[in-house]
Amino acid sequence: MGDEKVIDEKKQGQALLTEKKSKNHKKLFIESFGCSMNLNDSEIVAAILSEQGYNTTQLLEEADLVLVNTCSIREKAEQTIRKRLQKYNAVKKINPTMKVGVLGCMAERLKTKFLEEEKIVDLVVGPDAYRDLPNLLQEVNEGRNAINVILSKEETYGDVSPVRLNSNGVSAFASITRGCDNMCTFCVVPFTRGRERSRNPKSIIEEIQQLVNTNYKEVTLLGQNVDSYLWYGGGLKKNFKNATDIAKATAVDFAQLLDLVAIEFPNTRFRFSTSNPQDMSLDVIKVMAKHANICKSIHLPVQSGSTSMLQRMNRKHTREEYITLIENIKKIIPNCSISQDMMTGFCGETEEEHQETLSLMEVVKYDFGFMFAYSERPGTPAAKKMKDDVPNEIKKRRLNDIIQLQQKHSLFRTQQFLGKTVEVLIEGSSKKSDLHWKGRNSQNVVVVFPKRNENIGDFVNVFIENCTSATLIGKKI
Ligand code: SAH
Ligand code: F3S
């Protein structure tokens, strides 16, 4: 008798569990390609869908809903995503009720074309339409395809608390601006992410507070162009000139925002990305110098070292102005690391212009960089009005030239740390060895050292004994 009761209760429990599972535990598999902002957007999407009873899973095969956050920046990025869709297709054969949605820049760029070209796709959602996901999913569950690619003048997701995905529990992203108004001629981002808007500093501080409460130690402030941050009560950045006098007088710019967060959270390390040279002010550099908890590292994409090329790219500074900016940074923060994005083979690039890029690199000796061969993107000013006339082999050879040179400079920079002690925030075990910790110093260089009794999230001092071009190797002191 007694045993039967136990079995009965067990059965009931299981039934309840299954019911709960079907109601509250739908499984979301979400993956991101491209920039850090996409990663952060996926965290926002996970938060919006958790309200709808979706929990994230790492297992594609068990997903009820698969979302892929896409990147359009180069053709190759789009090809990678198309390949991923083939993989989902194979899984859908085993799990036919699984729904597939495409988010992000490719969704925005291709719109309904996606539904026509990729039969596997049920749902297409642009970067400003994630709040509409619950409605769109309802349509999908009723058997219709759903799409929302409306770009917004206001949307910043300021009140959504992101669900941290694949997190090391130590460092997190917080978006502070969305969109970009710069219209670099080669770039698809203004078309896929819309006009620039800044997020209310109050909601940024609230998000950081939540991160601090849950033991995060480092926050990276994100935007396509963070230095252009400007809060004056909401709305598009370009409308600031028509704002009221009060809104203008109480506006918060990026230097003020940095100062604010560094003071409010003295035990948190701050980074930011990305800076556009044309918008980086001396005030920002001075605020960085003032606070020990703002990392001494600036990602400052330049694309080319040639003024004529910068003009064709519609970058709004010259080679000389860029060099002056670098000199100011180094004067005010001598130990600041500087990294770059470079592009070879943009329309009309001559050998002379390429040599100017190499010579700029010799002047700056960047700590590291992301380097690309130009890839024409449909709809951009360059695709419409300019000729993609540098042959592929030349693009590749020039790319190789700058990669080689960067390699040399990265090693030169890491060697400067030999025999010095650096402060490292421990992020986790080293990829190569479980007996070593991995973390980063203020300059954003990876540091590896033997474990003793430290914990993830500790700040420790490490004496640097050895290095490669990308890693510092040392021991804790
Ligand atoms: N401000 C942005 C830049 C986004 S794009 C940011 O937050 O990083 C990142 C880099 O991709 C650019 O700096 C540029 O070097 C590269 N890129 C952009 N469009 C490209 C294209 N059409 N072909 C090749 N590289 C491109
Ligand atoms: Fe693209 Fe230029 Fe903006 S690279 S993201 S248009 S600053």
Side-chain angles (χ1 to χ4, degrees):
M1 275 284 283
D3 275 359
E4 263 177 44
K5 198 171 166 221
V6 171
I7 290 167
D8 240 30
E9 274 178 2
K10 248 190 176 171
K11 267 191 187 160
Q12 266 178 12
Q14 270 167 359
L16 269 175
L17 207 73
T18 323
E19 192 187 310
K20 202 171 162 210
K21 232 180 154 177
S22 59
K23 227 181 187 172
N24 294 328
H25 293 270
K26 284 175 279 184
K27 292 216 175 346
L28 164 68
F29 177 90
I30 183 162
E31 62 182 339
S32 305
F33 291 83
C35 61
S36 307
M37 189 160 262
N38 258 7
L39 282 177
N40 191 229
D41 279 0
S42 293
E43 298 181 329
I44 287 166
V45 167
I48 291 170
L49 290 182
S50 82
E51 300 279 301
Q52 305 295 310
Y54 282 92
N55 282 348
T56 53
T57 172
Q58 309 280 339
L59 281 178
L60 175 59
E61 287 72 15
E62 67 168 17
D64 300 295
L65 175 64
V66 174
L67 295 177
V68 56
N69 203 344
T70 60
C71 173
S72 283
I73 201 81
R74 285 167 288 277
E75 195 184 351
K76 207 166 150 229
E78 293 202 350
Q79 285 163 355
T80 306
I81 286 145
R82 301 246 186 204
K83 275 209 197 101
R84 251 343 247 165
L85 292 175
Q86 286 171 11
K87 168 78 185 161
Y88 303 159
N89 216 354
V91 175
K92 197 165 177 165
K93 288 200 177 104
I94 309 160
N95 179 6
T97 56
M98 180 181 105
K99 304 291 181 211
V100 175
V102 180
L103 313 177
C105 289
M106 241 177 126
E108 193 62 49
R109 194 177 85 69
L110 292 167
K111 303 185 170 60
T112 51
K113 253 198 189 164
F114 233 126
L115 296 170
E116 291 153 23
E117 290 173 7
E118 302 282 353
K119 294 293 171 232
I120 172 102
V121 175
D122 302 292
L123 181 71
V124 176
V125 194
D128 285 346
Y130 298 144
R131 279 182 208 272
D132 197 25
L133 269 165
N135 299 325
L136 297 166
L137 278 174
Q138 193 169 339
E139 283 193 38
V140 167
N141 288 329
E142 286 165 8
R144 293 184 297 276
N145 285 337
I147 178 162
N148 186 343
V149 286
I150 296 170
L151 288 172
S152 165
K153 293 177 182 162
E154 302 287 341
E155 182 59 87
T156 59
Y157 302 111
D159 59 332
V160 179
S161 303
V163 170
R164 305 292 162 184
L165 300 168
N166 304 322
S167 167
N168 57 12
V170 173
S171 42
F173 296 119
S175 295
I176 63 163
T177 70
R178 298 184 71 84
C180 184
D181 286 346
N182 278 334
M183 286 291 184
C184 301
T185 47
F186 53 82
C187 185
V188 78
V189 171
F191 303 92
T192 59
R193 286 193 167 269
R195 299 284 74 108
E196 186 182 325
R197 298 135 275 166
S198 295
R199 176 176 169 193
N200 189 337
K202 194 165 159 272
S203 89
I204 298 171
I205 286 175
E206 279 164 8
E207 181 172 344
I208 299 170
Q209 185 65 61
Q210 280 177 4
L211 288 166
V212 169
N213 293 348
T214 45
N215 261 329
Y216 280 85
K217 300 291 167 59
E218 182 181 272
V219 178
T220 302
L221 307 175
L222 283 185
Q224 296 303 331
N225 182 8
V226 280
D227 294 70
S228 167
Y229 175 89
L230 187 68
W231 172 258
Y232 63 97
L236 297 186
K237 163 89 186 265
K238 72 182 176 79
N239 293 339
F240 177 63
K241 51 185 180 302
N242 306 323
T244 64
D245 289 345
I246 296 175
K248 280 184 183 161
T250 55
V252 178
D253 67 13
F254 184 56
Q256 290 164 316
L257 178 74
L258 261 186
D259 200 39
L260 212 66
V261 297
I263 292 169
E264 186 80 22
F265 304 102
N267 300 319
T268 304
R269 241 172 41 166
F270 288 97
R271 300 185 184 278
F272 54 87
S273 184
T274 304
S275 295
N276 189 308
Q278 76 196 41
D279 292 308
M280 182 150 220
S281 67
L282 277 180
D283 283 350
V284 167
I285 305 165
K286 285 180 191 156
V287 170
M288 287 178 74
K290 192 169 115 189
H291 296 285
N293 61 332
I294 302 180
C295 289
K296 304 301 179 264
S297 138
I298 303 176
H299 187 54
L300 205 57
V302 66
Q303 319 300 351
S304 166
S306 146
T307 296
S308 51
M309 176 52 94
L310 290 169
Q311 256 171 10
R312 290 207 290 289
M313 291 175 164
N314 194 30
R315 305 282 291 186
K316 301 208 177 70
H317 60 82
T318 61
R319 173 191 171 97
E320 289 69 31
E321 284 163 343
Y322 185 81
I323 292 175
T324 304
L325 176 60
I326 301 279
E327 285 168 355
N328 282 330
I329 295 169
K330 294 281 182 181
K331 215 183 298 158
I332 300 170
I333 317 171
N335 63 346
C336 192
S337 73
I338 297 173
S339 51
Q340 44 86 348
D341 289 352
M342 290 283 187
M343 206 165 56
T344 59
F346 183 61
C347 306
E349 187 184 57
T350 62
E351 198 52 39
E352 210 181 348
E353 287 172 330
H354 171 59
Q355 291 303 324
E356 285 187 89
T357 296
L358 293 171
S359 87
L360 178 73
M361 290 175 73
E362 287 290 5
V363 172
V364 183
K365 294 193 173 54
Y366 292 98
D367 292 71
F368 66 90
F370 299 106
M371 292 152 281
F372 314 98
Y374 171 57
S375 157
E376 187 179 82
R377 307 312 295 132
T380 55
K384 284 185 186 153
K385 295 188 213 119
M386 302 162 93
K387 215 163 165 227
D388 181 12
D389 54 359
V390 178
N392 252 336
E393 349 30 296
I394 295 186
K395 280 183 186 171
K396 280 203 190 123
R397 198 260 299 150
R398 289 178 185 165
L399 178 60
N400 195 38
D401 288 350
I402 63 173
I403 290 174
Q404 296 300 322
L405 188 58
Q406 184 53 56
Q407 207 55 4
K408 196 177 108 189
H409 290 156
S410 293
L411 184 62
F412 167 77
R413 289 294 178 195
T414 53
Q415 282 170 343
Q416 307 309 305
F417 288 104
L418 293 177
K420 293 190 178 139
T421 298
V422 298
E423 191 188 54
V424 178
L425 170 60
I426 301 178
E427 292 173 11
S429 290
S430 146
K431 263 186 229 148
K432 286 193 189 145
S433 149
D434 230 18
L435 301 174
H436 289 75
W437 290 121
K438 181 198 84 172
R440 276 172 300 151
N441 67 359
S442 174
Q443 285 76 14
N444 211 16
V445 188
V446 171
V447 183
V448 170
F449 61 97
K451 286 182 184 174
R452 276 192 279 179
N453 51 358
E454 310 80 9
N455 293 304
I456 293 180
D458 286 353
F459 287 98
V460 292
N461 287 319
V462 178
F463 179 75
I464 305 303
E465 297 171 311
N466 210 340
C467 70
T468 68
S469 63
T471 310
L472 302 176
I473 301 144
K475 61 170 187 251
K476 190 184 139 194
I477 56 162

